[in-house]
Amino acid sequence: MTLVSIYTVGRLNHPYNHSASREFFQVGDGVYRQATRSGLVEAFSPDGVTISEETIQGNGSPILTLTVWKDIQSLYRFTYSGKHLQALRDRNKWIEIYPEKHLSYVVWWTEKVKDVSWEEAFKRYNYYIQNGSTPFAFDFKQAFDENGETILIKSS
């Protein structure tokens, strides 16, 4: 069974102990509960993971997620509904606004959860930055199925 992975990256506006950052993590708990009911297969801990400064400019602490989902439709529905959609709408309270276009996520297909790692996520993200959406690394606007064919994801 083919699974889909997503890596997201951003930076907090404030230090971890700031009230706005604490609110971000409290909201994140509810978002995670929604994810577990929405097709989430695996979530990888960002503890101990470091990113290069070239990957994402800014002053705040990095916020990274790496998750695996049962299919792209479940991931898409989760992303644009419920608590996660509200968090996206409120993200400027918590996450730095970037002066130029910031690529905040990348999606790719995988056969097994064990093939997903932070190293793989960074590789896919950097490839996506350099090449845009391809079957190797893509976004929702220009997505591909597991066979490399262009698809249109609907919010059904």
Side-chain angles (χ1 to χ4, degrees):
M1 178 173 90
T2 306
L3 303 167
V4 68
S5 301
I6 185 169
Y7 164 65
T8 68
V9 60
R11 287 193 180 271
L12 288 173
N13 281 329
H14 305 284
Y16 286 119
N17 62 354
H18 188 276
S19 60
S21 297
R22 286 195 305 271
E23 178 188 19
F24 169 79
F25 289 109
Q26 288 169 344
V27 168
D29 289 342
V31 169
Y32 181 76
R33 283 192 299 279
Q34 176 191 346
T36 61
R37 295 186 305 270
S38 301
L40 178 69
V41 173
E42 184 77 39
F44 293 81
S45 171
D47 292 343
V49 174
T50 57
I51 59 171
S52 67
E53 290 303 312
E54 304 88 54
T55 299
I56 178 173
Q57 301 295 318
N59 299 317
S61 298
I63 295 296
L64 311 173
T65 67
L66 176 57
T67 54
V68 180
W69 293 77
K70 69 178 185 174
D71 57 52
I72 200 162
Q73 197 63 44
S74 297
L75 171 58
Y76 186 83
R77 274 193 307 270
F78 160 77
T79 301
Y80 297 108
S81 69
K83 293 181 184 301
H84 190 269
L85 176 61
Q86 188 58 51
L88 285 175
R89 289 179 176 148
D90 292 341
R91 73 178 158 229
N92 291 345
K93 293 191 313 189
W94 309 307
I95 303 297
E96 286 184 359
I97 298 171
Y98 300 94
E100 43 191 72
K101 185 177 179 189
H102 166 67
L103 305 172
S104 61
Y105 73 96
V106 66
V107 179
W108 69 96
W109 293 99
T110 189
E111 290 295 320
K112 301 173 188 158
V113 172
K114 70 177 185 138
D115 294 334
V116 178
S117 66
W118 287 104
E119 293 77 19
E120 182 69 17
F122 299 151
K123 179 172 107 177
R124 302 282 180 150
Y125 183 77
N126 289 329
Y127 179 92
Y128 172 73
I129 289 171
Q130 296 297 316
N131 301 287
S133 277
T134 71
F136 184 76
F138 56 91
D139 58 32
F140 290 132
K141 293 179 190 119
Q142 187 178 355
F144 297 85
D145 68 15
E146 57 270 28
N147 299 316
E149 301 295 322
T150 302
I151 57 171
L152 176 63
I153 306 172
K154 298 180 183 174
S155 57
S156 60

